């Protein structure tokens, strides 16, 4: 790749650019679906037997119902295998993530709009949450913290983790260490679509959960989509994205480094800079070229930049914000002189990083907000993973006889016009003096 | 059907009963999926032309891009066609629904956990919401109010309604009257999977929306499932359910009337009474027999009771509550002497109706809480439709240089161990004195 070109933003390309970035979101794949449907049906029917068969086949690990669950001894061994600074970093991260998510807790409430009327909303944690954690090369302890902490803060009493074993039947120590820090003790060695199926339907060994969250490969993602309804799921995540809005006060080296922090994820990742300064844009392009050459993942980052990267110059920050809203990026950095002033103009973004010293990885690991964020333009309607994802609400309605009597005519008329005679009757019967 | 038998609850049947009720939730249908996939692809490709073709074919209505949208004149005509008491009832309902939903509004917030750190959560309404309203025999104005009001209270600036026209190209006056009361002015005459596709992808005439809510037939439900991800959707609703917990203070005639108010919905609906009183159970069975015979929809209600109805006797109210939690019903009535005392024991229910004068239809039409509720046991993890369904959140993160410097080692270590060199570099580069 030659240096990324710096282009004046052309508003007539708006729809094309939006669609290009949106289309990266994992598409529907009939072949994957057929495979996954079969796995789910088999696990649903045969339970542990099927789960262990698939684990032998796909993870090349020989397990039994007795060895599916990670033991206390394994947890202890993993903890000792991890060095002290790393343990401390996990604990610091967990503390800050917990503190932030505690602000998201919602209370049950009620009101008495009139004497004889109670209305309310009861907030109840889910009974059982299932967290999927990928294994192998993509073992991300930060993902353990980000999925488990909201469930814990929500008050979910049983949190179950699933993560695929290596061929020797073990789990990476960093994953188990993160689970320990997050307070998870029920961990099963299983991965892929078979793990999702086991969590959704339960087996003799694996409990049925109410919600499955966490990232995974295309089979995991498809399995989550297919069991949605039987259980709840989080969003299906697409490739990573960063959009940096930069003015002339931005540091080109910082902006380039932040763009590369997403471009290194995979070839489908998108890293875009929108700037009001042509000079800054050109300096970012040069920095990208310089820094990308130093990366172990240079090939991946280059391909990502070439396919889905961009440096666009706009006339004003307002125009830059409007474009950011069109793209609704997962991560948005405001590398401008007055980042707080720009926040009200931002309508759609998963996470907003303000100023020159708030790089995206700060949010990935430590600041506290969740790193599970909407991708592929879904920030138009979706939110970061929150404590609210692990509770649900029930409405409460109480009317006294007198209050029902006042409302009776309206209810009966509304029911009648919709053709629901028995609905009407449920009110009418209570108004009969000889019965009520 | 002979009289519904009153049975002592047998806990060993727990799993069977749960699965029986859960399985009513609309299953996957390959044939419907193929048809709907084709419709979506065609509307996505050909836009208005395809939309109008399908409308001619399925609704037998001849429309043009110019006549797709309901005119102000049509709104006015519909309003005049509806009588004053009905208008008033709609307005009373809308006022109470609005008042309740206003309590669900969430504020943006921020905190400064340390000097030099800002963390926060920005709450932003969706830009465009699409409400689907069924037509024909199933024209439910209450559904217009229940879907539109939360979106309006959330602050959604553009609310678009889709509802299928009759063969003469008109919409039922009650639907348009409800839309007027709810404050919707952008209404398109379109239904089925083609309407969902048009809302999800947009056409020359129909705006692309961010979320589609509202009930519909199997084609609408399937279309919503298939466009989920491109846009957000509400839950796919299954058949209605009511579960009444009754003690010896309950009025058997009331309980029977309430059970029938759900049984009349359709043959797949479920109406169950759990009581601590054998005598009450038997009286309810007799009342059901007496009242069902008076219904226009007698056949439907009878089939529903026979297939999915039940009267079970438990030893205690605690046992009744545990069973209710297992079933996680859409509607739960507590027809007991002290309903408020029982609320803490209820973990899973869409809406809870307290006492002898809070029949389910009160919540369907007028009390204020939403009547869009989780069915088929999904109350384990899902909530009523709320204002929160029409907003999304963005995280805010600001660190000063000093605060980032303190956190730098942890972030870099966590990034490094996950193999993300560029993530680490985005922090490291800011710590170089010659650059930062």
């Amino acid at each position: 790749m030659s240096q990324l070109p710096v282009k004046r933003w052309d508003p007539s390309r708006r729809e094309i650019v939006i669609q290009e970035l949106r289309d990266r979101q994992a598409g529907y794949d009939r072949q994957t679906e057929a495979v996954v449907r079969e796995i789910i049906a088999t696990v649903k029917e045969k339970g542990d037997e099927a789960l262990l068969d698939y684990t032998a086949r796909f993870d090349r690990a020989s397990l039994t119902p007795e060895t599916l669950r990670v033991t206390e001894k394994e947890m202890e061994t993993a903890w000792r295998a991890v060095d002290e600074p790393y343990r401390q970093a996990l604990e610091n991260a967990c503390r800050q993530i917990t503190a932030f998510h505690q602000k998201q807790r919602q209370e049950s409430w009620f009101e008495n709009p009139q004497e004889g009327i109670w209305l309310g909303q009861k907030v109840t944690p889910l009974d059982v949450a299932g967290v999927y954690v990928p294994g192998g090369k993509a073992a991300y302890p930060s993902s353990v913290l980000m999925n488990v902490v909201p469930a814990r803060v929500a008050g979910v009493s049983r949190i179950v983790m699933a993560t695929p074993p290596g061929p020797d039947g073990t789990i990476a120590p960093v994953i188990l260490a993160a689970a320990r820090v997050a307070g998870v003790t029920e961990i099963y060695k299983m991965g892929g679509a078979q793990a999702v199926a086991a969590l959704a339907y339960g087996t003799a060994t694996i409990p049925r959960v109410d919600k499955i969250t966490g990232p995974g490969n295309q089979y995991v993602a498809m399995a989550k989509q297919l069991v949605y309804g039987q259980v709840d799921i989080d969003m299906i995540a697409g490739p990573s994205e960063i959009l940096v809005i930069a003015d002339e006060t931005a540091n080109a080296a910082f902006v380039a480094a932040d763009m590369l922090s997403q471009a290194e994820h995979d070839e489908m990742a998108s890293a875009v800079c929108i700037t009001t300064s042509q000079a800054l844009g050109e300096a970012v392009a040069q920095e990208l070229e310089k820094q990308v050459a130093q990366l172990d993942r240079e090939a991946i980052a280059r391909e990502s930049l070439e396919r889905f990267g961009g440096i666009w110059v706009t006339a004003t920050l307002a125009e830059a914000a409007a474009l950011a809203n069109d793209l609704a990026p997962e991560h948005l950095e405001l590398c401008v002189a007055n980042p707080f002033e720009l926040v009200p103009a931002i309508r759609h973004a998963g996470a907003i990083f303000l100023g020159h010293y708030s790089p995206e990885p700060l949010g990935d690991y430590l600041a506290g907000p969740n790193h599970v964020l909407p991708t592929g333009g879904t920030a138009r309607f979706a939110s970061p993973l929150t404590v609210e994802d692990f509770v649900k609400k029930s409405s409460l309605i109480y009317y006294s006889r007198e209050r029902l009597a006042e409302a009776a005519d309206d209810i009966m008329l509304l029911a009648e016009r919709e053709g629901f005679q028995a609905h009407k009757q449920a009110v009418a019967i209570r108004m009969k003096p000889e019965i009520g």
Side-chain angles (χ1 to χ4, degrees), chain A:
Chain A
M1 182 188 82
S2 54
Q3 194 172 299
L4 207 62
V6 180
K7 294 181 186 165
R8 180 151 286 278
W9 169 245
D10 171 7
S12 74
R13 291 191 62 241
R14 180 175 172 275
E15 286 296 330
I16 298 164
V17 169
I18 293 174
Q19 207 50 52
E20 212 171 81
L21 291 178
R22 229 166 246 176
D23 283 348
R24 295 171 316 128
Q25 192 84 348
Y28 172 83
D29 174 353
R30 247 174 215 290
Q31 210 175 338
T32 306
E33 186 189 332
V35 171
V36 170
R37 235 180 239 293
E38 157 108 34
I39 293 172
I40 293 173
T42 311
V43 171
K44 189 178 171 189
E45 191 196 331
K46 299 189 180 163
D48 281 343
E49 188 197 330
L51 175 62
L52 295 169
D53 276 357
Y54 286 121
T55 303
R57 211 157 105 198
F58 297 135
D59 301 310
R60 302 185 309 284
S62 287
L63 297 174
T64 65
E66 290 71 36
T67 57
L68 258 177
R69 183 164 171 178
V70 172
T71 63
E72 270 182 58
K73 189 156 168 264
E74 287 176 287
M75 289 294 275
E76 196 51 44
T77 306
W79 187 247
R80 283 198 307 266
V82 170
D83 57 292
E84 177 55 25
Y86 190 70
R87 285 184 216 154
Q88 196 56 57
L90 285 175
E91 276 167 359
N92 291 344
C94 188
R95 193 180 56 247
Q96 302 206 158
I97 297 165
T98 302
F100 183 84
H101 286 76
Q102 272 165 347
K103 293 271 295 179
Q104 293 171 336
R105 290 187 63 165
Q106 296 180 296
E107 302 295 331
S108 299
W109 56 262
F110 69 88
E111 57 173 356
N112 302 115
Q114 292 178 58
E115 201 196 314
I117 298 181
W118 283 69
L119 298 175
Q121 185 172 279
K122 183 177 192 284
V123 180
T124 312
L126 306 191
D127 283 347
V128 193
V131 174
Y132 187 89
V133 179
K137 281 180 296 179
Y140 303 137
S142 59
S143 176
V144 175
L145 301 183
M146 291 294 183
N147 279 277
V148 170
V149 169
R152 271 190 62 207
V153 172
V156 175
S157 53
R158 189 172 184 184
I159 301 173
V160 174
M161 202 169 107
T163 188
D168 61 351
T170 64
I171 306 293
V174 286
I175 293 294
L176 296 185
R180 172 161 161 166
V181 168
V184 180
T185 56
E186 189 171 357
I187 304 168
Y188 296 98
K189 297 171 177 180
M190 57 182 190
Q194 62 274 19
V196 174
L199 292 172
Y201 292 98
T203 71
T205 308
I206 312 299
R208 192 184 65 202
V209 306
D210 296 312
K211 180 163 190 159
I212 302 172
T213 68
N217 63 21
Q218 59 173 327
Y219 296 98
V220 172
M222 177 61 78
K224 282 167 65 185
Q225 277 183 297
L226 293 176
V227 300
Y228 173 59
Q230 168 71 21
V231 297
D232 198 13
I233 61 166
D234 57 350
M235 263 265 150
I236 303 298
S240 296
E241 300 155 1
I242 187 167
L243 194 163
V244 182
I245 296 181
D247 65 11
E248 71 289 350
T249 70
N251 182 314
F254 297 1
V255 173
D258 297 354
M259 289 171 73
L260 289 171
S261 79
Q262 295 311 291
E264 78 168 340
H265 265 293
D266 67 80
E267 298 84 350
M268 299 293 285
S270 164
V272 170
C273 172
I274 309 176
T275 179
T276 47
S277 160
Q278 175 81 27
L280 189 276
E282 278 159 18
V284 169
Q286 282 165 22
E287 277 289 338
L288 279 173
E289 194 52 32
K290 187 174 124 194
Q291 293 182 29
V292 75
Q294 296 159 13
L295 294 182
D296 298 338
R297 298 182 181 228
E298 178 182 352
I300 292 174
R302 275 198 191 278
E303 189 176 339
S304 155
L305 286 178
E306 208 161 321
R307 292 179 63 184
F308 303 109
I311 301 175
W312 299 323
V313 179
T314 59
T316 62
L317 284 178
E319 197 188 347
L323 179 51
N325 286 333
D326 283 342
L327 298 177
E330 181 189 19
H331 304 101
L332 175 65
E333 290 189 357
L334 305 181
C335 296
V336 297
N338 295 304
F340 288 89
E341 280 184 14
L342 204 53
V343 168
I346 304 301
R347 294 185 59 79
H348 311 306
I352 307 171
F353 297 80
L354 298 116
H356 302 308
Y357 290 93
S358 309
E360 189 275 343
L362 166 65
D364 271 352
Y365 292 109
L366 200 86
N370 212 288
H371 79 194
V372 179
L373 298 169
T375 57
T378 61
R380 285 178 299 132
F381 53 77
S383 304
L385 191 68
T386 67
V387 170
E388 293 166 42
D389 290 304
F390 295 96
V391 302
K392 77 297 173 30
K393 286 122 194 177
S394 305
S395 305
L396 295 178
I397 300 175
Y398 167 82
Y399 265 51
S400 68
R401 187 182 199 288
E402 293 67 34
R403 291 287 95 84
L404 183 67
E406 291 164 10
D409 285 346
D410 279 348
I411 302 171
M412 292 191 290
L413 182 58
L414 291 165
E416 185 187 298
R417 293 288 167 89
E418 296 190 0
F420 288 131
Q421 185 191 10
H423 282 64
K424 179 181 176 184
Q425 180 62 10
V427 175
I429 204 165
R430 284 169 165 87
M431 296 300 118
K432 290 186 186 168
E434 73 276 17
I435 298 190

